[in-house]
Amino acid sequence: GPNDPMYLLNSSDNMTRRGYYACNSVPWIVVNGTTIDTDEDVMMDAVIAGILDFAPFNIELTPLIYSNNTIDVQVTITRDPTDPTPGFENIRLRVGLVEKQVDYDSPPGSNGESTFYDVCRKMIYDASGEEFVIPEPGQSTELDLLYIPTDQALIDVDFSDVRIVAFIQDDDSGQVYQSATQEVEPSDQVHAAFRAVEILGAPGFTAQFEDFSTPTSSTNIVSWAWDFDDDGVPDSAEPEPTRTYNDEGLYAVSLTVSDGTDEDSRTMVDYIIVVGASSNILVVNGIEYNTYIEQMESFYNSSAPFGDHQVDIWDLFGEQGFDYGANTNIDQVTLLQHYIPNSILFLYQKVVWIGNSYGGDEQYYYPDQVLEYITHGGNFLLATREGEDFFDQPLQQYCGISNFSGLFTMTNLQALDENLVDIPVLAGADNSRAHLVQFDENTEATAIFAEETEPGWVAGFRVAKENEGEFIYIAGRPYRYDNEAQFLNYDFILENWMNFETGLEDSPATDFISPARLYQNRPNPFNPSTQISFSLAQDGPVTLKIFDAGGRLIKTLLNAHMEANYYELSWDGTSDEGISAASGVYFYQLKTTGANETKRMVLLK
């Protein structure tokens, strides 16, 4: 849960798995892809039944840990020689680093527990898992996975008490075909290990590599041989070189290290990713497919968010099983759980960002990056529920927004421009949790939509400043509006309003991402508790504090060194002394290196 320190260390993997199983509450138990009753006997019966099923695979694990706590996991998957299965599709291996027991002096959460068992500290490489070649019956295939701990993991995890858990899973049904666990054993051999500071960029991308290789306990690494073009010929002998990639594609990187007596090599296949543009329009998907299957399919297959335009797609949830190939208007698809670097973002004249503020899509959205893109001539359309989460103070001021509404349930978007049409909510759909806006007297924004049930509030607007690109906001869940009406409106907007492009050729040479982002608490107003989320773009010291309207410190929710990631915490309305707070306005403040952000919330009792 969001209060548990082990969740904070591994929130990205936890959120991915939660989304995969469409889990919205606890306790929530899934056995072999099927959600079952939380009764203990029912759960155990399901587990035993799964164990008794025929297993088409066997897993052998050899996990080794080195002196710097780098872990190498060698996996051998053997297919049963009698397996009659005609074919497997979308099968993945998932591997987790598990700490066997985590103890706290006092309970870290609200349920009184201070001892926790089998805590997943990291999925290797991540929770989406690894594809592998399905062997023929009686044959085997091997994988070699590398884990390099973060600075925060080195502080939080007892690496003398860890083991590896692996399982083979049908990614469509969730069924687990086989699992295995193995203690991690220390190794005193020469070991090659490395990572890149950033793995993704547009053509011309320069990658900086970091060496995490280890010698034996009595030797030193004396040579490094890097191969960046997979031709077997060394390209660099430096310990931590850079490499510029000028062409689109996936690139393998190999490193061989030696201590003068022994050597070891490692190859990371498809490790560096260089992405170009096939269209001048990028559509960014922030909808979690497993949660909104039918609505997402209807939304994209009907071209609702881009009309009759050719577009590229970037899915913030990575490979989640949705077939974008069904729509011929989509030229190129990038499936990556990763923020979009400036070098790639600035390849596009127009961006349509389909947000949802659910499942973690907002952790890849940076309002300061959006503002930089607009002021350099890019055109950006943001359509999302809980829109306030996507505005920081500078972007809010840029648009001239004085207030965000509470959470409204949309019924019909009334067009305020003669070139647009009304957008009704789909019949029977709940288009809730929308943020409308009001403007200050100096705004340059033009209202383009209103919610017919909420006079005085704006549900959509456009801002087009001189010699800059255009910013457009449309409130509500895009996938729960009428798709035909959206097609007409997005088609007109993309064709007629989002055309300014002067300055994109002078885009920033380096990626700029703010050190941290603080999101609006949910729910707000609240009683008795609320969730506060934030994201960090770099490791560093972090404090999260709550103050009353008079500026008095009420509660310190967090004061720790944190790794770059997305986090959620809960405030139960009590002070540091355990006293229940009174109804009223409170402020929560996030401070970290290079960032200081404060937001307002309301406690109603």
Side-chain angles (χ1 to χ4, degrees):
N3 281 329
D4 293 330
M6 39 279 196
Y7 175 91
L8 296 180
L9 182 66
N10 191 24
S11 62
S12 179
D13 287 341
N14 276 302
M15 291 173 67
T16 299
R17 296 302 288 165
R18 182 212 56 72
Y20 176 77
Y21 288 113
C23 171
N24 288 310
S25 63
V26 292
W28 190 293
I29 299 176
V30 178
V31 178
N32 277 340
T34 301
T35 301
I36 65 169
D37 193 284
T38 56
D39 176 86
E40 181 179 359
D41 290 337
V42 176
M43 182 190 77
M44 290 308 300
D45 288 345
V47 171
I48 292 170
I51 291 172
L52 294 175
D53 283 345
F54 170 78
F57 303 103
N58 184 56
I59 302 174
E60 293 182 23
L61 300 174
T62 306
L64 301 175
I65 188 167
Y66 296 85
S67 58
N68 60 357
N69 289 321
T70 295
I71 296 175
D72 189 279
V73 184
Q74 297 174 19
V75 185
T76 301
I77 299 172
T78 303
R79 188 169 172 187
D80 191 288
T82 66
D83 178 34
T85 309
F88 293 93
E89 295 183 3
N90 205 14
I91 306 299
R92 287 178 174 265
L93 172 73
R94 290 185 163 93
V95 178
L97 174 69
V98 173
E99 189 168 1
K100 290 182 282 186
Q101 183 172 328
V102 179
D103 295 301
Y104 294 90
D105 294 334
S106 59
S110 59
N111 60 7
E113 292 180 291
S114 57
T115 298
F116 303 85
Y117 301 97
D118 294 314
V119 176
C120 182
R121 291 303 203 174
K122 185 71 182 75
M123 300 293 285
I124 308 171
Y125 294 101
D126 57 39
S128 61
E130 300 298 309
E131 295 181 345
F132 63 94
V133 177
I134 304 294
E136 295 297 321
Q139 302 299 308
S140 299
T141 188
E142 295 183 354
L143 294 87
D144 188 1
L145 305 179
L146 175 68
Y147 169 67
I148 299 175
T150 63
D151 291 342
Q152 191 62 41
L154 292 172
I155 295 171
D156 289 352
V157 178
D158 179 2
F159 282 92
S160 68
D161 190 44
V162 297
R163 62 184 174 188
I164 295 296
V165 173
F167 53 101
I168 297 171
Q169 188 169 33
D170 185 312
D171 216 37
D172 295 324
S173 69
Q175 179 181 359
V176 175
Y177 290 113
Q178 183 59 281
S179 61
T181 184
Q182 183 65 45
E183 305 294 318
V184 174
E185 298 292 337
S187 176
D188 193 32
Q189 300 173 334
V190 174
H191 183 241
F194 65 89
R195 70 183 178 198
V197 174
E198 178 56 82
I199 63 170
L200 172 68
F205 165 60
T206 298
Q208 170 69 60
F209 294 95
E210 298 178 317
D211 177 46
F212 287 87
S213 302
T214 50
T216 68
S217 57
S218 59
T219 64
N220 294 302
I221 301 294
V222 296
S223 68
W224 296 260
W226 297 83
D227 182 1
F228 297 122
D229 48 19
D230 202 26
D231 63 357
V233 178
D235 298 303
S236 175
E238 297 178 17
E240 297 190 329
T242 61
R243 174 74 170 190
T244 298
Y245 295 85
N246 293 315
D247 298 317
E248 295 180 47
L250 302 174
Y251 294 89
V253 178
S254 298
L255 170 64
T256 299
V257 295
S258 172
D259 68 351
T261 301
D262 297 312
E263 68 177 29
D264 186 43
S265 298
R266 173 168 302 280
T267 298
M268 304 289 279
V269 178
D270 296 341
Y271 183 58
I272 298 299
I273 306 168
V274 182
V275 178
S278 296
S279 166
N280 71 338
I281 302 172
L282 177 65
V283 177
V284 183
N285 174 63
I287 306 171
E288 196 174 53
Y289 183 48
N290 283 338
T291 306
Y292 306 101
I293 293 176
E294 293 182 3
Q295 292 166 336
M296 183 173 168
E297 289 177 347
S298 176
F299 182 65
Y300 283 108
N301 290 342
S302 66
S303 300
F306 44 84
D308 192 23
H309 290 81
Q310 297 299 122
V311 301
D312 292 350
I313 295 282
W314 188 297
D315 195 321
L316 297 173
F317 290 98
E319 173 54 72
Q320 52 174 343
F322 179 71
D323 180 18
Y324 289 103
N327 191 324
T328 58
N329 284 90
I330 297 174
D331 290 334
Q332 173 180 292
V333 179
T334 301
L335 307 174
L336 280 177
Q337 293 177 282
H338 198 287
Y339 83 90
I340 305 173
N342 276 356
S343 60
I344 296 176
L345 188 71
F346 278 80
L347 295 175
Y348 295 93
Q349 180 189 351
K350 310 172 187 183
V351 175
V352 178
W353 192 289
I354 304 300
N356 202 28
S357 193
Y358 182 79
D361 63 298
E362 71 272 28
Q363 68 179 302
Y364 302 113
Y365 172 98
Y366 294 90
D368 48 359
Q369 184 188 32
V370 172
L371 188 55
E372 186 177 28
Y373 174 74
I374 300 164
T375 55
H376 279 81
N379 301 275
F380 197 96
L381 190 158
L382 170 65
T384 184
R385 77 167 196 165
E386 299 188 7
E388 186 175 3
D389 289 356
F390 293 79
F391 287 81
D392 63 359
Q393 196 64 31
L395 183 58
Q396 183 174 332
Q397 291 176 345
Y398 181 86
C399 297
I401 298 172
S402 59
N403 292 300
F404 284 96
S405 69
L407 294 171
F408 280 140
T409 295
M410 309 299 287
T411 61
N412 181 56
L413 277 178
Q414 253 181 342
L416 303 179
D417 186 284
E418 63 180 7
N419 297 294
L420 304 178
V421 299
D422 290 359
I423 310 178
V425 171
L426 291 172
D430 174 21
N431 201 328
S432 59
R433 306 187 71 83
H435 281 131
L436 313 184
V437 303
Q438 291 177 333
F439 296 110
D440 60 40
E441 60 183 11
N442 297 317
T443 185
E444 296 180 50
T446 301
I448 59 174
F449 288 110
E451 164 54 44
E452 64 180 11
T453 64
E454 301 297 337
W457 292 94
V458 172
F461 65 85
R462 57 183 294 220
V463 179
K465 299 191 178 185
E466 186 175 0
N467 294 323
E468 297 180 358
E470 182 145 349
F471 178 79
I472 298 169
Y473 170 69
I474 301 175
R477 305 172 190 240
Y479 50 89
R480 289 184 178 169
Y481 284 122
D482 178 82
N483 290 324
E484 184 177 348
Q486 288 191 108
F487 179 99
L488 295 173
N489 286 329
Y490 281 74
D491 190 66
F492 176 84
I493 290 170
L494 285 165
E495 186 68 28
N496 296 279
W497 290 350
M498 300 175 70
N499 285 322
F500 188 83
E501 59 179 328
T502 300
L504 275 178
E505 65 275 9
D506 301 319
S507 60
T510 59
D511 291 322
F512 173 75
I513 296 298
S514 63
R517 284 190 59 206
L518 181 64
Y519 303 98
Q520 189 62 45
N521 65 303
R522 296 178 293 188
N524 186 42
F526 67 94
N527 179 33
S529 64
T530 188
Q531 298 292 115
I532 298 173
S533 56
F534 64 92
S535 60
L536 304 176
Q538 61 190 38
D539 299 356
V542 179
T543 62
L544 182 59
K545 297 181 179 181
I546 295 172
F547 301 87
D548 65 15
R552 292 179 290 273
L553 176 64
I554 301 298
K555 182 86 169 185
T556 299
L557 284 180
L558 182 65
N559 184 8
H561 188 281
M562 308 295 287
E563 68 172 16
N565 213 324
Y566 175 83
Y567 299 94
E568 290 185 358
L569 287 82
S570 178
W571 183 43
D572 62 2
T574 62
S575 68
D576 283 326
E577 293 76 25
I579 301 172
S580 180
S583 295
V585 175
Y586 292 86
F587 295 90
Y588 56 104
Q589 180 186 62
L590 177 74
K591 283 187 176 182
T592 187
T593 304
N596 183 346
E597 193 171 352
T598 302
K599 287 186 178 291
R600 176 181 181 272
M601 60 183 171
V602 178
L603 172 59
L604 292 178
K605 291 188 174 181

